[in-house]
Amino acid sequence: MVADLAKPILVPWRTRPFPILWTAEFDTAHPDLHLEVGFGDGRYTVRRAQAEPESSFVGLEIASSSVQRAIKKVKKAKLDNVKLIKVGANFAVRHFFAADSLSSITVNFPDPWPKERHTKNRLLQQSFFTLAASRLRPGGTIRLATDHPDYLAFAQSEGEASGLYTLSEAEPPAAVFETKYALKWKGQGKPLYYQVFTYDGGQTPDFPPLERPTDMPHALLNGPLPPEPAFEKQVLTYGNGHVILHEVARSLGSDDAEATHSETPHNKEKWLVRATIDEPDLRQQLLVAVKRRSSDELIVRLESFGDPIITKTVRGAVHAVTEWLLALPTDLTVKERNY
C-alpha cells in the first residue's frame, strides 16, 4: 500500500479532537485497528503492517530517537496503514481511542522495572487492564512478549485480578522475536515468553476522554508590571498533579495577536515564566506570560508555545503565577480570574 505523503506518519495529537477520528487519519475504514505500545525502532510494526494490509496500526513511543527511526522505516516501506504517536500509553489509550474500537494491544518487551519499589511504574497493572478493556472490542487481545519471568507473573496476576480477561499461551508471530531486544536477549540465551490476554466483554468503568475547552485560562490584574521581580522555584499541588515554576525571564517585543503597530517597546514588555505540569499520565513544559495590556492592567495567560493540552493542572500554572505576582511588594490587585 502506497503511503499518502499528504498525511503525516507522526500524528500531531495535540491538534486533534479526543477521541481521535482514526478513519480520517488513515483516510480509510479498515475493519481492525491495532495498537502497539513501545514500538522501538519500528521493525515489528512495519512487518506486521505489511503482513496485514487491510488493518490499521497505531504505534506509541516516548523516545524521540526511536520515533525518528520508525518513521524512516515506515516511509521506506511506503505504508499507509501505520501511524505513530510520541506519548505515553495510559494517556493515549484513555484519550485517543473510543470504546470498542481496538482489536488488539501489543506490548513487546516492556521495561520490567525489576526493583520492588518500582513495580508501580509497570504498564501492565490491573488499572491498565481495566482501561484497555474499555477500548477493546469483545474478543480483543493484549499480547505481551517479555524476557522477564517476574514481569510475566506480575502481568498474569494483574490481568486475572481485573476479572476481564481469559489468559492463554499462543504461538507468537515470527516478527515478535526478531525485534531489537528479542535478538539481544536470544543472543544472551535468555528464555522469551509470549502471553495473550483475551477480553471477555465484561462491563468496565466509564473512562471519558479529556474535554478540550476552547477558552484559554487567564487572569487580569490591576497595577504596574514589576520591574525586577524576585523569584524562587515553586511547587504547587493543583488538580490531580503538580505545577512547578522554574524561572522567570524578561521578554522585549511581542508577536502576540493582540499586539498593534501603535504599541511602544515599553508596553510590549512581558515576563515569561517557565513551568512544568506533572500529572499521572502526562508531563508538559509550558510558558506563562505576564503582559501589560494597558497602563494599569496586566494579563496572566498561557503562551501558545508547545500547544499545551489544557487540563485542570495546566490551569493551575496560571493560578500559581498570579499568586506569585500578588505576593510581590507591589500594588497589584485582582480584576478577574478565569482558570
Side-chain angles (χ1 to χ4, degrees):
M1 304 181 72
V2 178
D4 180 358
L5 297 180
K7 293 278 187 175
I9 295 170
L10 186 65
V11 177
W13 59 270
R14 294 175 181 275
T15 65
R16 299 299 193 253
F18 294 168
I20 293 175
L21 184 61
W22 290 107
T23 53
E25 295 298 325
F26 288 101
D27 204 22
T28 187
H30 288 145
D32 291 306
L33 178 63
H34 302 279
L35 175 66
E36 182 182 356
V37 177
F39 53 73
D41 63 7
R43 67 182 73 181
Y44 171 78
T45 318
V46 167
R47 288 195 59 177
R48 189 174 177 199
Q50 289 172 323
E52 302 175 47
E54 298 307 315
S55 295
S56 298
F57 297 88
V58 178
L60 305 178
E61 182 58 73
I62 59 175
S64 297
S65 57
S66 294
V67 171
Q68 293 304 315
R69 287 193 291 269
I71 288 174
K72 290 179 181 178
K73 284 183 170 61
V74 174
K75 285 183 176 179
K76 184 177 180 180
K78 298 181 180 180
L79 294 169
D80 70 350
N81 62 336
V82 175
K83 299 295 179 183
L84 307 177
I85 308 180
K86 185 178 183 296
V87 75
N90 280 284
F91 185 87
V93 171
R94 176 164 185 165
H95 301 298
F96 298 171
F97 299 95
D100 303 322
S101 64
L102 287 170
S103 295
S104 75
I105 300 174
T106 295
V107 186
N108 286 335
F109 303 99
D111 189 336
W113 292 98
K115 294 182 179 179
E116 185 175 350
R117 68 178 184 274
H118 293 155
T119 55
K120 65 182 183 296
N121 297 321
R122 289 175 172 173
L123 174 64
L124 294 183
Q125 302 187 49
Q126 182 177 340
S127 58
F128 182 81
F129 279 107
T130 303
L131 171 62
S134 73
R135 301 316 192 228
L136 285 166
R137 299 172 179 174
T141 57
I142 296 177
R143 308 173 185 184
L144 168 66
T146 181
D147 65 296
H148 200 275
D150 289 344
Y151 191 97
L152 175 67
F154 176 87
Q156 290 170 331
S157 175
E158 295 290 299
E160 289 175 338
S162 73
L164 296 167
Y165 296 85
T166 299
L167 279 62
S168 61
E169 295 183 4
E171 187 68 24
V176 169
F177 291 154
E178 294 177 11
T179 63
K180 175 182 175 182
Y181 285 108
L183 292 173
K184 178 180 178 180
W185 304 144
K186 284 200 300 185
Q188 295 177 2
K190 290 186 176 182
L192 303 178
Y193 308 96
Y194 193 73
Q195 180 73 55
V196 177
F197 305 82
T198 302
Y199 171 46
D200 61 17
Q203 187 173 2
T204 65
D206 184 27
F207 293 96
L210 182 70
E211 294 184 4
R212 308 291 295 277
T214 56
D215 63 311
M216 291 292 278
H218 68 273
L220 298 179
L221 305 178
N222 289 325
L225 187 67
E228 295 291 341
F231 184 84
E232 292 183 359
K233 180 180 176 180
Q234 300 180 33
V235 179
L236 171 74
T237 299
Y238 203 95
N240 66 342
H242 294 88
V243 176
I244 306 167
L245 302 183
H246 296 282
E247 59 186 344
V248 60
R250 183 185 182 193
S251 173
L252 293 176
S254 175
D255 56 1
D256 293 342
E258 300 175 2
T260 66
H261 293 296
S262 63
E263 286 184 327
T264 65
H266 180 68
N267 62 24
K268 286 183 179 181
E269 182 182 355
K270 62 182 176 181
W271 295 99
L272 294 174
V273 182
R274 183 172 67 87
T276 296
I277 308 303
D278 198 357
E279 298 177 83
D281 299 328
L282 184 65
R283 185 178 177 88
Q284 301 188 78
Q285 305 287 334
L286 53 83
L287 295 174
V288 180
V290 182
K291 183 179 182 295
R292 185 193 300 274
R293 297 185 79 192
S294 65
S295 60
D296 62 350
E297 184 179 85
L298 304 178
I299 184 170
V300 183
R301 60 171 174 76
L302 294 180
E303 291 283 82
S304 59
F305 170 82
D307 292 324
I309 299 297
I310 309 302
T311 66
K312 187 173 183 180
T313 309
V314 166
R315 292 178 178 275
V318 175
H319 172 74
V321 172
T322 299
E323 292 301 305
W324 162 66
L325 289 168
L326 293 173
L328 295 174
T330 63
D331 296 327
L332 290 172
T333 58
V334 176
K335 178 179 180 182
E336 176 185 316
R337 294 181 190 261
N338 184 5
Y339 50 76

